[in-house]
Amino acid sequence: MFSASQSSKAQFLDKARQAREERRELKERERAAVQVQALIRRFLCRCRLQKEIRREVEDFFGANESSSSKRSALSVFRIARKLLFVFNHKEDKERFEKLCRCILNSMDVENEPKVWYVSLALSKDLTLLWIKQIKDILWFCCEFLKQLKPDILQDSRLVNLHLTMLVTFTDTSTWKILRGKGETLRPAMNHICANIMGHLNQKGFYSVLQILLTNGLARSRPSLSKGSLTAIFSLALRPVVAAQFSDNLLRSFLIHIMSVPAIMTHLATLTPERLAVIESHDLFRKFILFLSCEAQCRDVCVCLEGSHTLCLLGNLVYLGSLNDKVLEEETAHFVGVLIHMLSYCQKYVSQKKSNLTHWHPVLGWFSQTVDYGLNESMPLLTKQLQHLWGVHMIRILFSDVLSKKLLENQEIAQLPTQPVSPQNSLPMKNLFKRAFQKSASVRNILKPVGGKRVDSAEVQKVCSICVLYQTTLTTLTQIRLQILTGLTYLDDLLPKLWAFICELGPQGGLKLFLECLNNDTEESKRLLAMLMLFCDCSRHLITILDDIEVYEEQISFKLEELVTISSFLNSFVFKMIWDGIVENARGETLELFHSVHGWLMVLYERDCRRRFAPEDHWLRKDLKPSVLFQELDKDKKRAQLLLQYIPHVIPHKNRVLLFRNMVTKEKEKLGLVETSSASPHVTHITIRRSRMLEDGYEQLRQLSQNAMKGVIRVKFVNDLGVDEAGIDQDGVFKEFLEEIIKKVFDPALNLFKTTSGDERLYPSPTSYIHENYLQLFEFVGKMLGKAVYEGIVVDVPFASFFLSQLLGHHHSVFYSSVDELPSLDSEFYKNLTSIKRYDGDISDLGLTLSYDEDVMGQLVCHELVPGGKTIPVTNENKISYIHLMAHFRMHTQIKSQTAALISGFRSIIKPEWIRMFSAPELQRLISGDNAEIDLEDLKKHTVYYGGFHGSHRVIIWLWDILANDFSPEERAMFLKFVTSCSRPPLLGFAYLKPPFSIRCVEVSDDQDTGDTLGSVLRGFFTIRKKEPGGRLPTSSTCFNLLKLPNYSKKSILREKLRYAISMNTGFELS
């Protein structure tokens, strides 16, 4: 009973709760229905109202168009209020356009104040409402301008409409209501205009103008008309002028207007009157003075970021080129501003591509986002920037340097220079005697004189300008060559800058700059930037000048000046390395080192190719080779750096000795040297004399790198297949190597050709006719490397340009193919340089960017660039044509052959071993010394056999004949007769392997069985079996052995020896 009553109570409560919830839900639904109905009614009501207003607006403008009667300003105001009340950008675009036209038409009406829209500003009741309305209308105009594309015809018309609205209502000059008696109202109206302008500025007026200008101008051809551009620029200037050039508005103008790509160039082209307005307001000076405050300049740069900072820079430079007076008066501020802006950009210039960098056509890899929409305008921006290194601006900025007079005596300056003789035959003694005799009277700059305080205003100004151009070079990486070419255009700038450098400090340049390296002050950095700029520009100039311009015409620098400069650079680089500065160098110091070192090496390589410096000019007398070698053995960093960067300061023979030591050390490391405990591995090869090249190629090309460096024993087989007599103790291999090299370098084989004139060797462009020609070249490289490795000199004269490639010089950014061209074909070089100097229109010659060549009877056209045979050579591209042609002849044609030979050569000789030699020195390493034969040295290192000895009368006669009767040419022929090479070893005859020996022989070579006790005794006591007067001396070049009969008279010996060496009679093997 109790449980039944409880359950019925619970059921009753549940039902009551459910009923309550149902009533609440019903009320919620009713309230929601009322709200939805209210919203719908409101929406429908609003739509109805909007339709009615839009219909009313359309009726108003429709009636206005059909009726000739003019609408009152009040009616326009009212209809505008209604339109603005319901205004929607998409739906009301055309209605708004009609409203603007209606308002502008009302302003054009003559003598009807009630029609003028602006008249409402005079109504007490409507003034504030009218100002509010015009502000809204003008801002809607701005909103539309942001979206319009000026390159579309329809949009360009709307641009003009909205700009006219803005121009009309932000200035009172066109308001007819202010004419006559209304003039008294002008101050009040101007105040209203200022109010409107201020409102627009607050809403982002300058951003609108920037977008419009960028859309219309950031392209290859501007799409803004003259009228539109004039209107935009006038609108942009109005707030600035009204605010009397306040810092705030100057900042906005610089950030939004002056940063538009090449806007100043477009103004000059389309509406030059605007530039006159800029000049009348002295805006350029105001910009520079505003930006000269470092905080303000940084603020502007940060707002613009990299690409647009560069655009602002271009516009300022262009303005500067048009305002000489301001530029001269504000040089310091102008230079400071540009340095700051370039330095800001430089922070984001990256050395390489990465996930965080973007490509910029002027800055290179850039670690900020690049606005690729600006790419079309980059050529115009580059043209603007070019004014910075143009002659006009350089003359203004460097006026203090260029005003110096280098010539003390005008008559002396006009003395004709003596013609310079061909390569490597410059009369050095006469040249330098003449140069240094006249140095005191011709130039003030041959040696550092000092005397100018580095803290003087003049020095500080020049330093700042040099910092500017150095920063420009390191920031605008993609147009660096353009900048350098511009800076070197004036022939007298660099010599005068050198004169300026020589006057710095109490004792002249070198000591001052070395002190600067140890001082981390701003002043020191600026002085070093001056040196760096001088080096970069001078290096560029000497690189692009040909030999005629350097040696005969002596453009910019006299030869004696190059001697002085190179001495300064040599000392500076040596001190930087030897004093340990380079070891720890970072950033600017390292850049300075590479700059000075680059200029030094360009001069050194030019001197190696054709001398201008005196003997031993490049050596450092204060550097003892023994000290250097000790430091190298201890792996001292400075010694290694010296060898890497300026090996030329070490005497040549010491470097050759160092090279031989490096080879010896490697041989010991590889176990290729005979020791008491071990013998080196020996490779045996069998060679048929009739097929020496083929057998050598087949057997040696498969050897490993270490086996090629090791001991190779050769056994010759004659035509009958019988082994030849003789044991190879390096001698037979030497003969084999010499014979192989003689065969492969024979031009008749067509692996190599000879240059016209001095007949020096280089890879033949048509060598591809050989099967496996690249493998053959690699084999030749290995054989040549093996000869150098073993110290075997071979008489193979290479062309200078090919030696440069063997050294890897052609990979240097300073390498010039044109400079090396005379070593290939001097006549071709003259023809090319005549094109460079051609005064007329080069296109008249009918040349194209191609090279026609007769290849085995067929005319083949090689295009120097893709499509080159259709591209004519003009005055604009003739320099490129010369370099392309030189590069094609010396590199492209033989690229694969050279690469294969170098690969083979470097498999034996490490590239770092020969980097310490110049091209002529490498030739001497390969072919021996070109100095005269030292007979005393040869006599000292001669071994005698067969009874001969140093006091034997035949031997005494021999040395006397060689010393007194033979000419230098005959002595060279004698050396070639006995060793197969006409040049002595670089380090003297102590290094001739095997040593030179003379043996007394009694019988002919085919009967010679070697020395016996009897033959030795007879030779020693000069006892002859029979008179050998009819026999000739013979030689065995593989053993460097001279076989000499025991002649009875000195005259017979002289006659027979002379005949033998002229006939080159030899014998293959003892």
Side-chain angles (χ1 to χ4, degrees):
M1 180 71 186
F2 182 71
S3 60
S5 63
Q6 277 186 331
S7 63
S8 62
K9 183 179 178 182
Q11 287 173 359
F12 173 76
L13 290 173
D14 281 343
K15 286 179 182 179
R17 188 171 61 255
Q18 286 174 6
R20 263 197 321 275
E21 286 175 1
E22 285 174 3
R23 287 194 300 275
R24 189 170 64 250
E25 284 177 10
L26 185 63
K27 285 180 182 178
E28 285 292 329
R29 278 200 297 272
E30 286 175 355
R31 187 165 62 253
V34 169
Q35 285 181 340
V36 169
Q37 287 170 1
L39 283 170
I40 290 171
R41 281 198 301 272
R42 187 166 66 193
F43 172 74
L44 292 172
C45 184
R46 197 164 58 241
C47 287
R48 220 170 18 251
L49 180 62
Q50 286 174 351
K51 280 182 182 178
E52 286 173 8
I53 290 174
R54 287 190 174 106
R55 195 181 302 115
E56 189 180 340
V57 170
E58 284 172 3
D59 291 344
F60 177 85
F61 291 126
N64 196 30
E65 287 173 9
S66 60
S67 170
S68 58
S69 61
K70 299 176 180 65
R71 301 280 181 169
S72 69
L74 188 59
S75 64
V76 174
F77 171 77
R78 286 172 178 158
I79 205 70
R81 281 192 79 185
K82 290 181 179 180
L83 179 60
L84 293 177
F85 178 70
V86 298
F87 187 74
N88 178 283
H89 273 88
K90 288 183 179 178
E91 288 187 39
D92 298 313
K93 187 177 177 182
E94 289 184 17
R95 296 181 188 91
F96 186 75
E97 181 188 335
K98 289 175 182 177
L99 173 63
C100 291
R101 293 192 191 284
C102 181
I103 291 172
L104 290 174
N105 289 338
S106 77
M107 295 295 288
D108 290 336
V109 175
E110 295 290 340
N111 303 319
E112 292 194 40
K114 289 186 178 180
V115 176
W116 296 330
Y117 178 69
V118 78
S119 63
L120 299 174
L122 302 177
S123 167
K124 285 183 181 180
D125 299 332
L126 298 176
T127 301
L128 293 177
L129 292 172
W130 179 85
I131 291 172
K132 169 78 171 61
Q133 187 179 90
I134 195 63
K135 283 180 180 178
D136 290 343
I137 289 172
L138 293 182
W139 182 245
F140 285 139
C141 287
C142 292
E143 293 280 357
F144 279 116
L145 284 173
K146 280 200 287 190
Q147 298 165 9
L148 295 171
K149 305 293 181 190
D151 51 331
I152 301 171
L153 182 61
Q154 185 60 36
D155 279 12
S156 68
R157 289 174 182 160
L158 293 176
V159 166
N160 288 335
L161 172 66
H162 298 311
L163 284 175
T164 309
M165 281 292 292
L166 287 163
V167 169
T168 303
F169 292 102
T170 54
D171 184 73
T172 60
S173 57
T174 59
W175 294 2
K176 294 183 173 67
I177 197 170
L178 299 181
R179 291 176 187 172
K181 293 179 182 179
E183 190 64 39
T184 55
L185 301 171
R186 192 173 293 277
M189 294 293 103
N190 283 339
H191 186 72
I192 288 174
C193 283
N195 188 317
I196 294 168
M197 201 78 243
H199 172 76
L200 294 176
N201 276 338
Q202 283 180 346
K203 298 210 51 146
F205 181 57
Y206 275 118
S207 296
V208 172
L209 296 183
Q210 181 183 15
I211 292 167
L212 183 60
L213 284 168
T214 306
N215 287 340
L217 300 180
R219 52 186 62 245
S220 51
R221 292 183 63 185
S223 56
L224 285 175
S225 64
K226 176 181 178 178
S228 298
L229 188 56
T230 305
I232 296 168
F233 204 75
S234 299
L235 286 167
L237 269 179
R238 279 178 183 174
V240 181
V241 176
Q244 297 182 336
F245 308 99
S246 69
D247 283 356
N248 195 30
L249 282 162
L250 277 175
R251 176 184 179 276
S252 294
F253 192 87
L254 285 165
I255 290 172
H256 297 290
I257 307 303
M258 289 298 290
S259 67
V260 173
I263 186 171
M264 292 298 124
T265 303
H266 291 301
L267 285 176
T269 308
L270 294 173
T271 171
E273 308 84 38
R274 295 300 97 195
L275 288 180
V277 172
I278 290 174
E279 194 172 342
S280 68
H281 288 303
D282 203 12
L283 266 180
F284 175 59
R285 190 194 304 271
K286 290 180 171 68
F287 291 152
I288 294 304
L289 293 175
F290 173 81
L291 291 169
S292 63
C293 171
E294 195 173 324
Q296 291 175 169
C297 189
R298 192 186 307 113
D299 170 47
V300 169
C301 291
V302 170
C303 288
L304 289 175
E305 295 191 332
S307 294
H308 290 278
T309 299
L310 200 62
C311 295
L312 171 59
L313 187 78
N315 285 317
L316 289 175
V317 168
Y318 186 76
L319 268 184
S321 69
L322 301 176
N323 290 271
D324 292 359
K325 184 170 178 289
V326 178
L327 196 59
E328 288 166 10
E329 292 170 2
E330 303 293 345
T331 298
H333 287 133
F334 176 72
V335 169
V337 167
L338 295 196
I339 290 172
H340 194 93
M341 293 173 76
L342 285 165
S343 300
Y344 174 80
C345 291
Q346 192 182 16
K347 285 192 298 185
Y348 301 98
V349 173
S350 179
Q351 296 302 314
K352 58 185 178 180
K353 180 181 179 181
S354 75
N355 293 334
L356 301 174
T357 57
H358 308 268
W359 178 253
H360 191 285
V362 174
L363 300 165
W365 290 112
F366 198 66
S367 59
Q368 279 189 340
T369 305
V370 173
D371 185 349
Y372 292 106
L374 301 181
N375 277 6
E376 276 191 65
S377 56
M378 280 301 149
L380 278 176
L381 171 60
T382 306
K383 279 188 178 177
Q384 283 188 321
L385 293 170
Q386 282 169 356
H387 288 282
L388 183 57
W389 49 88
V391 173
H392 183 68
M393 198 168 284
I394 285 175
R395 286 196 188 280
I396 293 173
L397 296 181
F398 279 110
S399 57
D400 291 345
V401 173
L402 291 169
S403 61
K404 291 184 174 299
K405 291 184 178 177
L406 295 181
L407 301 175
E408 290 183 346
N409 187 326
Q410 199 63 30
E411 294 175 7
I412 293 172
Q414 292 169 359
L415 282 173
T417 55
Q418 293 182 6
V420 183
S421 56
Q423 183 173 343
N424 294 328
S425 59
L426 195 65
M428 296 308 298
K429 288 183 181 177
N430 293 338
L431 175 68
F432 287 100
K433 187 177 178 183
R434 177 168 58 83
F436 285 105
Q437 277 175 349
K438 294 181 180 176
S439 63
S441 56
V442 176
R443 294 274 196 177
N444 290 327
I445 63 174
L446 281 177
K447 57 182 179 180
V449 290
K452 190 171 293 229
R453 289 179 62 87
V454 293
D455 57 355
S456 66
E458 180 193 7
V459 174
Q460 291 300 310
K461 178 184 173 185
V462 174
C463 282
S464 292
I465 294 161
C466 290
V467 170
L468 166 63
Y469 283 111
Q470 195 55 42
T471 312
T472 308
L473 285 169
T474 51
T475 305
L476 311 181
T477 58
Q478 299 311 297
I479 51 174
R480 180 182 171 87
L481 290 180
Q482 278 186 38
I483 301 165
L484 288 170
T485 303
L487 288 168
T488 55
Y489 187 80
L490 286 177
D491 288 343
D492 57 342
L493 175 62
L494 292 174
K496 288 180 177 179
L497 189 57
W498 171 243
F500 191 83
I501 288 170
C502 286
E503 292 174 3
L504 295 176
Q507 297 169 332
L510 181 61
K511 189 175 180 185
L512 172 71
F513 287 111
L514 287 171
E515 287 172 359
C516 287
L517 286 170
N518 298 312
N519 298 334
D520 193 23
T521 63
E522 199 59 39
E523 186 181 85
S524 296
K525 288 178 181 177
R526 289 153 72 88
L527 284 165
L528 291 172
M530 181 196 299
L531 177 62
M532 197 167 165
L533 182 73
F534 171 73
C535 291
D536 285 343
C537 293
S538 303
R539 179 185 63 209
H540 178 74
L541 176 68
I542 294 296
T543 303
I544 60 177
L545 294 180
D546 58 44
D547 282 358
I548 295 169
E549 291 165 325
V550 172
Y551 291 92
E552 274 106 43
E553 296 173 4
Q554 298 189 26
I555 290 175
S556 281
F557 294 109
K558 304 292 180 194
L559 286 178
E560 52 266 32
E561 289 171 331
L562 293 180
V563 173
T564 311
I565 292 168
S566 58
S567 178
F568 166 87
L569 298 173
N570 211 30
S571 299
F572 188 81
V573 172
F574 174 74
K575 290 283 186 186
M576 279 192 82
I577 293 173
W578 206 243
D579 293 349
I581 296 169
V582 177
E583 288 179 43
N584 307 310
R586 297 284 183 277
E588 291 172 352
T589 308
L590 196 59
E591 284 176 17
L592 170 71
F593 173 75
H594 288 309
S595 180
V596 179
H597 175 257
W599 175 209
L600 171 67
M601 294 316 292
V602 165
L603 287 175
Y604 174 68
E605 283 162 20
R606 177 81 72 162
D607 184 62
C608 289
R609 203 166 56 248
R610 181 171 168 181
R611 294 294 298 277
F612 65 78
E615 201 70 35
D616 296 340
H617 170 73
W618 302 98
L619 301 180
R620 290 291 303 183
K621 302 289 191 297
D622 53 344
L623 175 66
K624 291 182 179 178
S626 57
V627 174
L628 178 70
F629 292 171
Q630 285 171 13
E631 294 210 1
L632 283 170
D633 288 338
K634 294 174 184 175
D635 290 333
K636 288 284 185 72
K637 187 70 175 174
R638 69 174 186 176
Q640 292 170 344
L641 289 170
L642 193 79
L643 204 60
Q644 179 185 345
Y645 286 110
I646 48 169
H648 59 256
V649 300
I650 310 161
H652 178 239
K653 287 206 169 181
N654 292 103
R655 278 180 278 143
V656 176
L657 197 58
L658 187 62
F659 171 76
R660 300 286 2 142
N661 288 345
M662 287 173 173
V663 172
T664 304
K665 281 182 182 176
E666 187 184 78
K667 283 185 173 182
E668 289 171 354
K669 186 179 176 183
L670 296 174
L672 303 178
V673 180
E674 186 91 37
T675 63
S676 56
S677 58
S679 295
H681 172 73
V682 177
T683 302
H684 293 277
I685 60 171
T686 303
I687 303 295
R688 291 170 291 178
R689 277 202 180 273
S690 58
R691 293 181 59 81
M692 194 178 291
L693 178 57
E694 293 85 343
D695 288 354
Y697 170 69
E698 285 299 328
Q699 293 184 57
L700 290 179
R701 74 186 181 93
Q702 297 170 359
L703 293 183
S704 68
Q705 187 173 314
N706 288 352
M708 274 298 294
K709 291 180 179 181
V711 179
I712 299 173
R713 296 280 182 237
V714 177
K715 180 173 282 294
F716 280 119
V717 176
N718 64 18
D719 292 342
L720 300 173
V722 178
D723 291 354
E724 291 187 4
I727 300 167
D728 184 3
Q729 291 295 331
D730 295 334
V732 180
F733 177 73
K734 177 175 179 285
E735 184 199 0
F736 162 71
L737 193 62
E738 288 166 350
E739 287 297 321
I740 284 277
I741 284 174
K742 191 188 296 181
K743 285 179 185 293
V744 295
F745 286 107
D746 184 353
L749 188 64
N750 195 35
L751 274 179
F752 288 82
K753 279 182 76 172
T754 54
T755 60
S756 59
D758 55 359
E759 295 193 341
R760 291 182 166 267
L761 293 160
Y762 69 98
S764 169
T766 55
S767 55
Y768 56 78
I769 61 172
H770 290 280
E771 190 180 355
N772 301 326
Y773 73 103
L774 292 180
Q775 288 92 326
L776 263 174
F777 271 103
E778 188 175 358
F779 172 69
V780 172
K782 286 180 179 179
M783 290 293 97
L784 192 62
K786 179 67 173 173
V788 175
Y789 195 75
E790 300 297 345
I792 299 170
V793 289
V794 287
D795 208 352
V796 183
F798 286 114
S800 174
F801 80 90
F802 179 69
L803 289 167
S804 292
Q805 294 184 39
L806 205 55
L807 287 166
H809 289 172
H810 59 298
H811 294 306
S812 167
V813 291
F814 314 124
Y815 180 80
S816 170
S817 300
V818 177
D819 290 341
E820 295 275 16
L821 190 56
S823 69
L824 172 66
D825 190 336
S826 55
E827 198 59 38
F828 187 69
Y829 171 75
K830 284 178 187 173
N831 293 339
L832 275 185
T833 49
S834 67
I835 291 173
K836 180 180 178 180
R837 289 171 172 74
Y838 188 74
D839 292 331
D841 185 357
I842 203 77
S843 58
D844 294 342
L845 301 180
L847 298 169
T848 59
L849 294 181
S850 60
Y851 173 62
D852 293 331
E853 184 186 24
D854 184 356
V855 180
M856 293 179 285
Q858 281 192 319
L859 192 66
V860 177
C861 177
H862 303 282
E863 292 189 327
L864 303 179
V865 294
K869 62 184 176 184
T870 61
I871 303 172
V873 177
T874 62
N875 287 347
E876 286 70 37
N877 66 7
K878 66 180 180 181
I879 300 298
S880 296
Y881 169 73
I882 292 166
H883 283 271
L884 285 168
M885 185 67 87
H887 187 266
F888 176 79
R889 287 289 308 274
M890 293 191 296
H891 297 274
T892 311
Q893 268 196 313
I894 56 172
K895 186 177 180 181
S896 53
Q897 293 94 321
T898 304
L901 188 142
I902 289 173
S903 171
F905 184 78
R906 289 183 177 175
S907 68
I908 309 295
I909 303 293
K910 292 181 180 178
E912 56 268 25
W913 289 353
I914 57 169
R915 265 192 210 124
M916 53 182 161
F917 301 109
S918 64
E921 288 169 342
L922 179 60
Q923 181 66 68
R924 288 165 67 188
L925 192 68
I926 294 168
S927 300
D929 209 333
N930 51 11
E932 201 167 310
I933 297 164
D934 185 348
L935 288 176
E936 287 302 317
D937 184 43
L938 179 59
K939 191 191 298 186
K940 184 179 173 183
H941 297 98
T942 300
V943 181
Y944 302 100
Y945 298 106
F948 276 161
H949 50 85
S951 302
H952 196 289
R953 67 176 187 178
V954 175
I955 299 302
I956 292 171
W957 290 344
L958 174 67
W959 294 122
D960 187 58
I961 289 166
L962 288 171
N964 301 315
D965 296 345
F966 275 19
S967 66
E969 289 76 21
E970 286 176 317
R971 285 194 284 273
M973 287 166 65
F974 169 78
L975 192 62
K976 187 174 178 68
F977 176 69
V978 292
T979 68
S980 80
C981 186
S982 59
R983 296 180 178 186
L986 274 180
L987 299 174
F989 288 100
Y991 287 84
L992 184 65
K993 298 287 176 65
F996 175 56
S997 49
I998 305 173
R999 179 164 164 256
C1000 178
V1001 293
E1002 297 179 317
V1003 292
S1004 60
D1005 284 341
D1006 55 348
Q1007 297 172 328
D1008 187 10
T1009 56
D1011 290 341
T1012 63
L1013 179 61
S1015 68
V1016 170
L1017 288 172
R1018 283 192 294 273
F1020 185 80
F1021 293 110
T1022 55
I1023 301 168
R1024 289 179 294 278
K1025 281 183 174 181
K1026 58 180 179 179
E1027 176 60 48
R1031 290 186 48 232
L1032 292 172
T1034 56
S1035 67
S1036 186
T1037 57
C1038 55
F1039 290 108
N1040 300 324
L1041 172 66
L1042 173 65
K1043 298 176 182 178
L1044 204 58
N1046 197 346
Y1047 293 114
S1048 59
K1049 291 181 182 177
K1050 181 180 179 182
S1051 58
I1052 296 173
L1053 171 60
R1054 180 170 53 242
E1055 178 193 339
K1056 298 297 182 184
L1057 186 60
R1058 186 168 271 151
Y1059 182 75
I1061 64 172
S1062 63
M1063 295 299 292
N1064 201 14
T1065 307
F1067 182 66
E1068 289 155 343
L1069 186 67
S1070 295

